[in-house]
Amino acid sequence: GVNCIGCHASEFQGEVVIGLGNSMRDWHGHAHDYTPLRILAAMAYAPDAAELDTLKTFLRGAEALNGNAGTPFRGPNPAFRFEEIAAAHRNPADLTWSEAPLYPYGDTVITSDVPPWWNVKKKTSLYYNGMGHGDFARLIQQIGVVLMGDAADAERVDPHMHDLLAYIQTLEAPPYPLPIDATLAERGAELFAANCADCHGTYAQHPHETDTYPNKRIPLDKIGTDPLYAQHLRESGLHDWFNQSWFAKGDTTYAEPKLTYVAPPLDGVWITAPYFHNGSVPTLEGVLNSEARPTRWRRSFDSHDYDLASPGWRFESVDRPTDDRNVYDTAIPGYGNQGHTFGDDLSDAERRAIIEYLKTL
């Protein structure tokens, strides 16, 4: 069915990893014919069955999204587009359905790579632009506008969302499965502290140490990564809708989009390829060396096809635009791989040392 694990768990080398963002799903096009589902439901249930009422609620939200949330290729996730459209059809105070959209949402399909759940416990705000503040359970629950009935339904679910958040906060990043060069990693730790820790935090290596994480929101002109995600959510009617809605709690739970991206925690970063907020970079090597980033790249979407040494997805570069949905094209607005050039001044040996250290996180 439609649930959190559909996006917040992924197969990796043949095993399901709970909390790992799913970059394997295919939202390309995202247009469906729900007629067979209607027919099957009519055959299975009596006309007054509660199941049919549930189906109607699902179809009402799904058909509003249908054909309006497709991605140009496989991998990126359109969750915010789902929410942007579904929220536009909800009266904010009581979350009842509105046939006419309450704000314009245009044609731009905003997508992102799904971040790992195990980093939530370190954050003071949610989402790549850091716009979500306050009660994380409410912020997470807002995706339910696609399927929920109304505010009474949301009120019923609310305590369970706090249970879900408590579960999310128990998750830990999986350990790197191969031997690590301790000497090289120690050198990498020094380089990381000098070049990366100011934004990405520190990571305890000994029992007496504790992690630190600054939750920094970096302006677009400094980070330089593709700006469309932050720009679109700043301009969208979604954040004003949220701040007037049942989900908001006055001054304590609210959305405040800015032209920034949050430098994320790096726990388990070795397993979270592709990288950047839009999933445009297939390997950690590319994160630290902008010249190593392919413009167009194809991967197999086989969960075993992962290079643990790099680390990242094995890929092949593609010379020209293609209709192959397995090819990521960074020339498309919103999917650029530019920016975050802070590692470009490092030597190859220094970058390799930092990557060896990152495997320990």
Side-chain angles (χ1 to χ4, degrees), residues 201-212:
T202 64
Y203 300 83
Q205 301 292 305
H206 304 286
H208 65 278
E209 297 175 340
T210 58
D211 290 3
T212 65

Side-chain angles (χ1 to χ4, degrees), residues 7-331:
C7 296
H8 290 281
S10 186
E11 189 175 354
F12 182 79
Q13 297 195 334
E15 296 185 5
V16 174
V17 180
I18 302 298
L20 176 62
N22 191 338
S23 69
M24 312 287 276
R25 294 195 65 169
D26 190 353
W27 302 100
H28 178 271
H30 193 258
H32 302 285
D33 180 5
Y34 293 104
T35 302
L37 181 58
R38 293 178 186 275
I39 293 172
L40 287 171
M43 293 170 61
Y45 301 109
D48 59 349
E51 287 86 352
L52 289 183
D53 289 336
T54 300
L55 177 63
K56 289 176 183 176
T57 301
F58 166 78
L59 290 175
R60 182 179 62 188
E63 289 179 342
L65 303 175
N66 204 19
N68 293 315
T71 61
F73 35 76
R74 184 176 178 182
N77 188 288
F80 259 120
R81 179 61 170 175
F82 291 169
E83 188 172 356
E84 182 179 43
I85 294 174
H89 288 276
R90 298 281 185 168
N91 294 295
D94 59 10
L95 305 182
T96 54
W97 187 260
S98 170
E99 286 297 330
L102 303 178
Y103 58 81
Y105 44 77
D107 298 323
T108 300
V109 178
I110 190 69
T111 68
S112 64
D113 186 53
V114 183
W117 259 352
W118 50 75
N119 283 337
V120 168
K121 58 179 166 288
K122 288 190 170 183
K123 295 185 175 182
T124 57
S125 64
L126 285 185
Y127 315 121
Y128 281 107
N129 63 348
M131 72 177 185
H133 299 270
D135 185 346
F136 281 13
R138 284 285 181 94
L139 292 166
I140 294 170
Q141 189 183 3
Q142 65 177 320
I143 192 63
V145 294
V146 178
L147 301 175
M148 71 177 55
D150 53 23
D153 194 20
E155 193 76 43
R156 176 184 60 81
V157 172
D158 191 48
H160 302 291
M161 297 304 299
H162 288 84
D163 293 339
L164 172 62
L165 178 61
Y167 167 68
I168 289 172
Q169 292 173 334
T170 69
L171 297 176
E172 298 289 341
Y176 184 73
L178 298 181
I180 293 173
D181 183 328
T183 301
L184 186 61
E186 185 176 354
R187 172 60 177 148
E190 296 171 355
L191 290 164
F192 182 91
N195 294 279
C196 314
D198 187 54
C199 291
H200 290 287
T202 64
Y203 300 83
Q205 301 292 305
H206 304 286
H208 65 278
E209 297 175 340
T210 58
D211 290 3
T212 65
Y213 175 60
N215 282 278
K216 280 192 175 182
R217 298 174 74 170
I218 313 299
L220 295 186
D221 59 359
K222 181 176 181 180
I223 188 64
T225 48
D226 192 294
L228 186 62
Y229 176 101
Q231 290 171 343
H232 182 81
L233 289 175
R234 173 81 168 147
E235 297 166 1
S236 174
L238 177 61
H239 61 274
D240 283 338
W241 178 92
F242 179 87
N243 289 335
Q244 300 170 33
S245 76
W246 175 90
F247 296 103
K249 293 182 177 180
D251 295 332
T252 60
T253 300
Y254 59 94
E256 184 186 37
K258 294 183 178 180
L259 298 179
T260 60
Y261 289 125
V262 177
L266 299 180
D267 303 78
V269 68
W270 67 268
I271 198 177
T272 62
Y275 300 102
F276 288 3
H277 70 276
N278 56 7
S280 60
V281 179
T283 67
L284 264 180
E285 179 185 3
V287 172
L288 294 177
N289 181 5
S290 63
E291 293 183 358
R293 301 170 192 169
T295 300
R296 297 178 187 88
W297 50 279
R298 178 189 290 112
R299 60 173 165 139
S300 67
F301 288 92
D302 180 339
S303 74
H304 295 85
D305 202 14
Y306 201 86
D307 182 358
L308 287 167
S310 184
W313 292 106
R314 293 189 176 93
F315 68 91
E316 59 176 319
S317 294
V318 177
D319 293 336
R320 57 183 60 87
T322 175
D323 292 332
D324 185 346
R325 66 177 59 193
N326 291 338
V327 174
Y328 193 111
D329 189 345
T330 67

